[in-house]
């Protein structure tokens, strides 16, 4: 049998859509005693919304230690309704959960009404999943008065409890932007709050187990069920500080890094509410390491255009590491001839071109960039002069300049960069030329703290902000997330932090709030 990618892709899309399925799981299989558990214990999720469609996700998992899920596809029924009681069903259908994709289900429901909330659930035999709540966006040309987004990243399981997600449920959000480090590949941390089962995460099975560990957390599961998510990944979904097809520097070295990356990407797909079109070569590409097309844009009416980027899959390797070291280091650019090399890329040529075209046609309102990491330069004082971290945008200065030039060239409306990765809150301005504080301010940046992952603390934070004056605020202690509320005239960003990430019952509070008026890219205290 040949692997024709287009045929394979069509099949996958058919599976993702409603199909007149015939392969029912024998009823007797799920007619085991109820104590055997529920195949929906990983919960439900929705994501990648447009004004008329949404991806509904679940993954079947064999209850307990039973082997009920074999190699055959399992037909899963789904319903999406206007009401929580499922009295007014909008659509229903069937989808196949394939063993090749860990019995995950990605239903792409189309033909929905714009700017509406819906409820959805899945069924296999007599088992019914939890009910999820999701929404479509307003039509691209429709007026929209309000959008409330949370941005979040970096949820190292052994560093704390997922209490932030529990509090996020109360934020009345339209969508969550998850910006990377959904899992970490480590066995455990020093002074771990809790120790994850298994060792280093290296194989497809390991990655699947690590995602399942996270999805078993009730707070995270509940937040996935609360509203649609738009997701990208960073390094730890594969390995610390990896770059493109070059491995990073954590744990045992693996002979075939691209194969490890392919396994990690597959597990990410299996656990995220993303479209089947992310798999550019469908099932045939899953094992062979084909591109995963995560970058995308979606308008929320006339109010905002949300652009999601992928700065890991296509990047060049970090430069000027000490000899033989993979991954990242702090580098003095004066001692690194390749530092500003214009040939080096963070997004890859194709994504850069796509982004430039997206900016050219971005339209009015707010232009929101969901990307992985801190955008503005962040110098660290060192004995031999200022050093910069070569894994973030600082290590790809020419690529950063190309992005700011593209923003200027297309006069992009109200750019708002959201990020993660650094486990600290950083708030500031996007500058035409960061070396000249008097250069034009193009937009604003809110780089978010981690949900749980540790950071250095605030000892030198005032000095660090002062040394990088395009930033107006930083905090290296609070763990949590940010909420941005957009209206046509202004945005308000609220940094929410938990009291104690090592306690499940921890409270949350507001660290700071900021306001930015439309048409005036200046961060003001709220
Ligand atoms: Fe992280
Ligand atoms: Ca990271």
């Amino acid at each position: 049998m040949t692997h024709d990618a287009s045929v394979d892709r069509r099949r996958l899309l058919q599976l993702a859509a409603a199909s007149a399925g015939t392969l029912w799981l024998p009823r007797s299989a799920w007619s085991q005693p109820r104590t055997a558990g529920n195949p929906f214990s990983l919960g439900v999720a929705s994501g990648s919304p447009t004004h008329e469609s949404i991806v509904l996700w679940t993954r079947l998992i064999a209850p307990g230690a039973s082997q009920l899920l074999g190699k055959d596809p399992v037909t899963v029924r789904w319903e999406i309704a206007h009401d929580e009681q499922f009295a007014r069903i909008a659509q229903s259908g069937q989808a196949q959960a394939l063993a090749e994709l860990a019995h995950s289900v990605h239903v792409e429901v189309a033909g929905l009404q714009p700017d509406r909330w819906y409820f959805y659930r899945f069924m296999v035999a007599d088992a019914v999943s939890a009910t999820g709540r999701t929404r479509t966006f307003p039509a691209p040309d429709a007026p929209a008065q309000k959008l409330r987004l949370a941005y979040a990243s970096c949820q190292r399981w052994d560093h704390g409890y997922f209490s932030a997600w529990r509090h996020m449920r109360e934020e009345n959000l339209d969508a969550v932007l998850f910006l990377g480090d959904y899992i970490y590949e480590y066995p455990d941390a020093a002074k771990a709050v809790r120790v994850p089962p298994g060792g280093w995460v290296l194989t497809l099975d390991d990655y699947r187990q690590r995602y399942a560990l996270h999805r078993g957390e009730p707070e995270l599961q509940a937040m996935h069920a609360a509203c649609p998510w738009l997701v990208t990944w960073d390094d730890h979904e594969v390995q610390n500080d990896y770059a493109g097809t070059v491995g990073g520097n954590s744990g045992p070295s693996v002979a075939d890094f691209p194969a490890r990356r392919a396994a990690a990407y597959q597990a990410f797909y299996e656990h995220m509410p993303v479209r089947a079109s992310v798999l550019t070569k469908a099932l045939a590409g899953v094992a062979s390491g084909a591109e995963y097309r995560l970058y995308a844009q979606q308008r929320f009416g006339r109010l905002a255009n949300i652009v999601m980027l992928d700065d890991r899959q296509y990047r060049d390797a970090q430069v000027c590491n000490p000899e033989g070291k993979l991954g990242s280091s702090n580098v003095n650019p004066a001692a690194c001839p390749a530092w500003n090399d214009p040939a080096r890329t963070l997004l890859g040529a194709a994504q850069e071109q796509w982004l430039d075209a997206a900016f050219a046609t971005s339209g009015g309102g707010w232009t929101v960039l969901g990307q992985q990491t801190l955008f503005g330069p962040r110098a660290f004082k060192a004995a031999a002069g200022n050093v910069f971290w070569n894994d973030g945008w600082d290590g790809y200065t020419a690529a950063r300049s190309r992005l700011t030039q593209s923003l200027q060239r297309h006069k992009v409306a109200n750019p708002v960069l959201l990020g993660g990765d650094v486990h600290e809150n950083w708030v500031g301005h996007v500058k035409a030329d960061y070396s000249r504080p008097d250069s034009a301010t193009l937009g604003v940046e809110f780089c978010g703290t981690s949900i749980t992952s540790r950071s250095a603390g605030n000892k030198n934070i005032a000095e660090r902000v002062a040394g990088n004056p395009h930033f107006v605020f930083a905090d290296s202690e609070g763990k949590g997330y940010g909420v941005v509320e957009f209206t046509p005239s202004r945005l308000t960003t609220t940094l929410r932090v938990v009291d104690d990430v090592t306690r499940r019952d921890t409270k949350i509070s507001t660290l700071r709030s900021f306001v930015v008026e439309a048409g005036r890219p200046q961060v003001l205290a709220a």
Side-chain angles (χ1 to χ4, degrees), residues 154 181 184 236 421 423 453:
C154 294
D181 290 357
Y184 285 71
H236 290 286
D421 182 37
H423 307 173
S453 306

Side-chain angles (χ1 to χ4, degrees), residues 129-206:
S129 75
T131 293
R133 183 172 174 266
T134 192
R135 66 161 300 154
T136 54
F137 283 2
D141 59 351
Q145 294 310 310
K146 195 165 81 170
L147 164 63
R148 281 177 66 82
L149 293 178
Y151 57 102
S153 59
C154 294
Q155 49 176 353
R156 189 158 165 183
W157 192 87
D158 38 335
H159 281 183
Y161 290 102
F162 289 175
S163 325
W165 296 121
R166 174 166 49 84
H167 292 291
M168 198 192 281
R169 290 264 299 177
E170 313 298 316
E171 303 281 2
N172 196 19
L173 300 174
D174 295 299
V176 172
L177 267 53
F178 192 84
L179 302 178
D181 290 357
Y182 193 96
I183 59 159
Y184 285 71
E185 78 282 17
Y186 299 118
D188 63 26
K191 298 188 192 141
V193 172
R194 44 187 178 167
V195 176
W200 286 95
V201 176
L202 301 169
T203 67
L204 178 57
D205 249 15
D206 298 338

Side-chain angles (χ1 to χ4, degrees), residues 319-322 325 328-333 339 378-382 386-391 394:
V319 282
C320 297
N321 282 329
K325 183 178 184 277
S328 71
S329 352
N330 285 329
V331 171
N332 183 343
W339 193 255
R378 187 179 54 166
F380 296 90
K381 280 202 165 50
N386 279 345
V387 296
F388 296 82
W389 190 40
N390 67 356
D391 187 71
D394 274 335

Side-chain angles (χ1 to χ4, degrees), residues 180-424:
D181 290 357
Y182 193 96
I183 59 159
Y184 285 71
E185 78 282 17
Y186 299 118
D188 63 26
K191 298 188 192 141
V193 172
R194 44 187 178 167
V195 176
W200 286 95
V201 176
L202 301 169
T203 67
L204 178 57
D205 249 15
D206 298 338
Y207 285 108
R208 283 173 171 168
Q209 282 173 32
R210 191 53 63 97
Y211 280 101
L213 176 71
H214 286 57
R215 279 301 173 81
E217 293 290 324
E219 300 94 338
L220 177 58
Q221 217 176 78
M223 195 58 228
H224 272 293
C227 70
W229 287 38
L230 294 88
V231 297
T232 189
W233 51 32
D234 194 27
D235 51 340
H236 290 286
E237 282 86 352
V238 181
Q239 184 189 22
N240 182 47
D241 291 341
Y242 87 92
T245 53
V246 179
N249 67 352
S250 69
S253 66
V254 170
D256 186 350
F257 177 75
R260 179 185 182 182
R261 193 185 87 155
Y265 282 7
Q266 178 179 343
F268 178 90
Y269 176 81
E270 290 167 352
H271 294 85
M272 291 295 153
V274 292
R275 291 177 187 273
S277 57
V278 163
L279 305 175
T280 55
K281 300 248 184 322
L283 285 177
V286 163
S288 63
E291 178 190 8
Y292 278 64
R293 177 67 190 272
L294 278 188
Y295 60 85
Q297 62 173 327
Q298 182 58 47
R299 278 208 76 88
F300 188 93
R302 279 186 241 153
L303 183 58
N305 190 29
I306 304 174
V307 181
M308 298 291 286
L309 298 184
D310 175 358
D311 84 6
R312 276 292 156 190
Q313 187 172 190
Y314 315 99
R315 67 159 67 189
D316 287 321
Q318 301 86 349
V319 282
C320 297
N321 282 329
E323 188 134 15
K325 183 178 184 277
L326 289 170
S328 71
S329 352
N330 285 329
V331 171
N332 183 343
C336 179
W339 193 255
N340 298 317
D341 181 353
R344 299 185 62 247
T345 180
L346 189 64
L347 301 178
Q351 185 178 192
E352 267 191 33
Q353 265 176 34
W354 172 88
L355 182 60
D356 188 67
F359 284 161
T361 56
S362 187
W366 302 90
T367 304
V368 184
L369 260 76
Q371 49 88 50
Q372 285 94 329
T373 192
L374 187 71
F375 188 74
R378 187 179 54 166
F380 296 90
K381 280 202 165 50
N386 279 345
V387 296
F388 296 82
W389 190 40
N390 67 356
D391 187 71
W393 284 98
D394 274 335
Y396 301 80
T397 55
R400 178 167 56 202
S401 297
R402 287 196 293 274
L403 196 153
T404 52
Q405 283 157 13
S406 179
L407 287 173
Q408 288 176 280
R409 189 162 57 246
H410 301 301
K411 300 185 170 55
V412 172
N414 299 303
V416 180
L417 274 68
L418 304 177
D421 182 37
V422 297
H423 307 173
E424 301 177 338

